[in-house]
Amino acid sequence: MTLRSMLSLILSLCVSQTAFTPAAFAQSPANGVTLFGKVQDAQTKAALPFLTLQLQTEKDSAFVGGRLTNEQGAFTFTGLKKGTYVLVVRSIGYRPIRQRVLIGELSAFLDLGAILMVKEALVLGDVKVTANADAVAGTMDKKTFTVSDNISQSGGSVLQAMSTLPGVTVAQDGKVQVRGSDKVVVLIDGKQTALTGFGSQNGLDNLPASALERIEIINNPSAKFDANASAGIINLIFKKQEQEGFNGKIGVMGGAGALWVKKENLPTIRPQYRGTPKFNPSVAVNYRKGATNSFLQADWLYSPTLNKNEFSTRTYDDGTVIVQQIKRNRRTDYATLNGGVDHAFDERNTFSISGLFNREKILDNGDNPYFSGTLQNRYRLWQFLEDEVKYTAFGSAVFTHKFQEPGHSLMFTSNYSFHREDEKYFFTNTVPTFVGTDAFKLLSDEHVVDFNADYTKPLKQGRVEAGFKGRYRSIPVNMQFFAGQNSPLDTGAGGWATYRETIPALYGTYVFESQRVELEGGVRFEQVQVDYDVNPDHNTYQSDGYRYFQPFPNVRAAYKFDDANKLSLFFNRRVDRPNEVDIRIFPKYDEPELIKVGNPALQPQYSTSSELGYKTSWSKGSVYASAYHRIVDGTITRIATQAPGSVLLYNVFQNGGRSRSTGTEVVWQQTISPRFSLSANANAFRRSIDAFTVVNQYPVPVSYAAARQTLTSGNGKLNAVIKLPHDWQTQISQVYLAPDLLPQGRIGSRYSLDLGMKKSVQQGRGEIVVNATDLLNTMQAERTIRGTNFRLVSTDYLETQVVRVGYNWKF
């Protein structure tokens, strides 16, 4: 195999596109392949205009399409499906040409280059060839889900919509995990924004799913993507219409959660939220005229929620036992406005500008009672009001130049993202001898500037891609403490800190596809400089940062036994950089006896992953099975240690030892009958964390040594879609999450059952939706943490059961 072919191992192995309904994996590219080239005289290299071309199937010589070359000898065929064809070129005075053409699924554009015709008068004989028939097949590095197909989660947040996706779980802290890891980057329309976080995930629990068209899960990203996020990438595709004229969609969902109490409060605190109302109106409009397309989308989510309701018992080696509850009644108002304009100056040059604005208002009323030994001995009641407003603004400008050959393009993208976090906490600390009041205020402004250049060149059997990305990110943060009587707040840990990040990166990718073999290879070079400047008066931490220049290769290879069976191999190396909140130096007091704080000395973790996947398809279904292995060095995790002479625990981010995950995943889809279809997903993995020793510096140095841990975990999901009489459609979703490993303990199993129904009305323009999440009210988990001198067991009975009803109308 040539070096050129070997290079092709990196970008797109088999994108397995699935929907919530068991429609077979969608074919990629969805709109078919464009084939183009030029016809020239073999001797003079002069263009041969107005020649007759025919494209036939190789199997039976069936006519697919005919063309004439233009004045430059160029031709184009569009909308071609996967298969093997024969291109026939004829001209009087030239020897006819029959060129075999393979149309695969990795590239949307294929360049046949120059087709040279030799002068010779010959008669063309009959053509009789064989080929593979077209079939529905997909690549396997990505899965795509249409949000509107997820009936049981309609009207909820993006986080809730993800809970039923294959390979995705939602952890107790609300983090999305892919194959057991929360090191996931969330993109919006392929771009990182402050709305969902840079180098992390953020805001998914409030972002309404109604704003999205589909969700993509990319397990094995190519070099074109940032090297961050070892577990993969989740790409949220916002709704955008492009029909001619004026059109759009209006929808409204309403409902209620916390319909009954899972567990009664401990004594002497305020009631839990009950019957929490939900309201989610949305509107999307689009106007297209000629070369200009304009779109605007608005969503609002009003969602009071019992955000946390955790009951815990701490047992210390000296015999001390503390019983506590952490209850948060949260009110959230989440508004998003997204719009833009696309304009084509001519056939080769287009310009797009878009903007997104978001405002999130959070009011938390919290009660944390603490009892020593028995519930008759309350020694503290910690109550707080969190008043927080978050603003996000994101703007993007994209200029695309298309060269004469279809698919040959150069794209320039410039993005700016701003995020403000304005947070105020007011505390009341009630103890037997006094009542104290305290407060703090945190203000954080995040500025991010990106510039990208991406080049794509189609080839006869693949494509090449190359590009550059530059980023500058700055986050100045200021924390002010306002201490009251006998304040427990550490006022010496306040002040200012500034996070600065500079990242230039280069990437290159080569993709090759033949009738049996798919190869892709690429590498991304990133140079990262992070500086974290800390207030010199801080009582524990000082300025820190890190730098690296690293290559991040990815390789992909596949062998196609036939159109319905494919074997794929992936390899990639990635990095997880600490986010600003991971190294933030300010203690967080919403749990005053389990205090969370960052670590400026935190370093990136590096991962190496490999995966072997096999997919087989038949007329009414498919199965995808894979085996994967991931090694992580410098695993980023939180470590809880006990303050000397105190019952207080401090939860600090640290780099632990090497960790490994070895597992297998199966995704099955089957149409049982015209009215009944099933899809199922099972993921099982063996996780291990090597022994390690760290020192928590805050508030005083405390060492922690962990022994090696191993555990087999996994999850299973089942979705059934039933078509009922009178155009009703029902979806039943079940999720089971097995016990999983934490660096200092374990989290227990979880289970939920969701139900949804929808009916099309008004000749398809209207839709009625009714659903219930966690119908049996069972989604809660027990967590066990073991420290050097303590053991903490907790169960969070937060709100998970919600019933909704809604209506959508297209115009």
Side-chain angles (χ1 to χ4, degrees), residues 298-528:
D299 293 84
W300 181 50
L301 180 64
Y302 172 74
S303 180
T305 305
L306 181 58
N307 177 260
K308 189 166 188 175
N309 193 28
E310 185 178 78
F311 294 77
S312 306
T313 300
R314 282 180 277 149
T315 305
Y316 294 83
D317 290 354
D318 64 2
T320 301
V321 177
I322 295 175
V323 179
Q324 66 185 65
Q325 179 184 357
I326 301 170
K327 186 210 69 185
R328 265 201 310 255
N329 290 332
R330 171 171 290 184
R331 172 181 162 174
T332 302
D333 293 275
Y334 196 94
T336 303
L337 185 67
N338 180 37
V341 177
D342 305 326
H343 178 73
F345 297 105
D346 50 43
E347 292 182 353
R348 297 188 185 179
N349 297 283
T350 59
F351 180 75
S352 299
I353 186 169
S354 61
L356 182 150
F357 178 78
N358 168 264
R359 179 185 182 271
E360 179 181 7
K361 174 69 173 179
I362 296 174
L363 289 174
D364 268 352
N365 284 283
D367 292 79
N368 301 359
Y370 297 89
F371 300 84
S372 179
T374 69
L375 298 182
Q376 286 70 44
N377 187 20
R378 193 191 78 185
Y379 69 88
R380 167 187 275 185
L381 174 60
W382 183 264
Q383 295 177 305
F384 67 85
L385 168 64
E386 178 189 8
D387 186 351
E388 182 177 13
V389 182
K390 298 179 182 179
Y391 298 97
T392 301
F394 177 75
S396 180
V398 181
F399 176 77
T400 303
H401 173 71
K402 299 178 181 179
F403 296 90
Q404 185 174 356
E405 303 87 353
H408 187 192
S409 66
L410 179 62
M411 179 184 296
F412 297 98
T413 305
S414 179
N415 304 319
Y416 172 71
S417 190
F418 169 78
H419 180 73
R420 165 163 288 186
E421 181 181 351
D422 188 349
E423 183 178 11
K424 296 182 286 292
Y425 268 91
F426 303 93
F427 305 104
T428 301
N429 183 28
T430 303
V431 297
T433 57
F434 70 92
V435 176
T437 57
D438 305 273
F440 76 73
K441 176 179 173 60
L442 182 142
L443 183 64
S444 169
D445 285 344
E446 181 174 17
H447 306 269
V448 186
V449 178
D450 287 331
F451 177 78
N452 299 353
D454 298 284
Y455 174 78
T456 302
K457 168 67 175 175
L459 304 173
K460 182 178 181 180
Q461 291 182 279
R463 68 183 183 276
V464 292
E465 296 177 337
F468 165 82
K469 179 173 184 175
R471 166 175 294 167
Y472 177 75
R473 184 177 177 213
S474 172
I475 311 175
V477 183
N478 191 284
M479 167 76 87
Q480 301 177 43
F481 287 109
F482 305 95
Q485 179 187 8
N486 299 318
S487 174
L489 305 186
D490 183 3
T491 57
W496 59 266
T498 301
Y499 176 98
R500 294 193 307 275
E501 177 183 88
T502 305
I503 307 177
L506 292 169
Y507 75 90
T509 299
Y510 176 75
V511 178
F512 169 81
E513 183 175 15
S514 68
Q515 185 173 1
R516 294 296 183 192
V517 177
E518 298 172 355
L519 297 172
E520 181 184 342
V523 64
R524 186 180 188 89
F525 291 94
E526 282 190 350
Q527 178 175 309
V528 173

Side-chain angles (χ1 to χ4, degrees), residues 647-684:
V647 296
L648 298 186
L649 303 179
Y650 290 89
N651 218 358
V652 184
F653 275 110
Q654 293 285 359
N655 291 106
R658 169 175 282 190
S659 60
R660 301 171 181 83
S661 292
T662 303
T664 181
E665 182 180 19
V666 177
V667 179
W668 168 68
Q669 294 182 304
Q670 180 67 48
T671 300
I672 308 298
S673 72
R675 290 188 173 273
F676 181 51
S677 57
L678 286 173
S679 63
N681 164 246
N683 182 34

Side-chain angles (χ1 to χ4, degrees), residues 239 241 247-251 282-286 296-298 811:
K239 292 178 179 177
Q241 304 294 329
N247 50 85
K249 183 177 181 179
I250 297 175
S282 62
V283 59
V285 294
N286 182 86
L296 183 67
Q297 178 184 345
F811 59 89

